[in-house]
């Protein structure tokens, strides 16, 4: 999935890199508890979603120069692998996401991710 918006790529990347910023662009996230405040390989934590859902996560890859990162999110026995990318676009920024996991979970979560990505790249 790809979305585009008018914000500069560096701004969108910083919104990803700063875990405290996640609730500002991802409406499903209430807050993030983690063992650090910036994206880093091996960073672990819990995303507390609206409605009380707690999603455990581990960051599996970060490439700041390429503005790409990946993580695995788990709720009980279910897990999703999420691969994010930020890139320049003639309109400002393109945010890309590849979701991997059980089909019904991916299908249910995809609309929320589209909303979040749209907000990520919005001024």
């Amino acid at each position: 999935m790809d979305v585009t918006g008018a914000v500069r790529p560096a701004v969108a990347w910083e919104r990803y890199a700063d875990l405290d910023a996640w609730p500002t662009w991802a409406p499903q996230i209430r807050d993030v508890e983690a063992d650090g405040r910036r994206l880093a390989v091996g960073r672990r934590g819990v995303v507390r979603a609206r409605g009380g859902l707690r999603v455990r996560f581990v960051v599996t890859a970060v490439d700041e120069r390429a503005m790409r990162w990946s993580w695995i999110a788990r709720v009980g026995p279910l897990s999703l692998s999420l691969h994010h990318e930020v890139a320049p676009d003639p309109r400002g920024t393109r945010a890309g996401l590849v979701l991997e996991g059980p089909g019904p979970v991916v299908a249910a979560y995809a609309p929320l991710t589209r909303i979040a990505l749209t907000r990520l790249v919005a001024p």
Side-chain angles (χ1 to χ4, degrees):
M1 149 185 346
D2 290 321
V3 301
T4 58
V7 76
R8 292 184 346 241
V11 172
W13 176 255
E14 186 57 27
R15 290 174 180 172
Y16 270 148
D18 177 2
L19 277 57
D20 291 327
W22 288 10
T24 67
W25 55 266
Q28 70 273 25
I29 295 176
R30 194 172 81 216
D31 68 9
V32 179
E33 299 171 9
D35 58 1
R37 301 318 311 153
R38 287 191 67 80
L39 285 180
V41 173
R43 176 81 62 232
R44 294 180 179 277
V46 175
V47 170
R48 290 193 304 184
R50 306 235 178 253
L53 186 65
R54 295 175 55 87
V55 181
R56 291 178 295 121
F57 72 87
V58 61
V59 176
T60 57
V62 177
D63 185 338
E64 290 217 29
R65 294 191 91 203
M67 293 187 285
R68 289 186 206 134
W69 71 286
S70 298
W71 60 320
I72 297 171
R74 290 188 173 89
V75 175
L78 299 175
S79 69
L80 283 177
S81 293
L82 301 93
H83 309 282
H84 297 271
E85 177 181 37
V86 171
D89 181 88
R91 293 162 289 204
T93 296
R94 177 186 57 78
L97 171 62
V98 174
L99 288 168
E100 298 174 342
V105 176
V106 169
Y109 192 56
L112 287 175
T113 62
R114 182 168 296 282
I115 292 167
L117 292 177
T118 299
R119 291 175 51 149
L120 178 79
V121 297

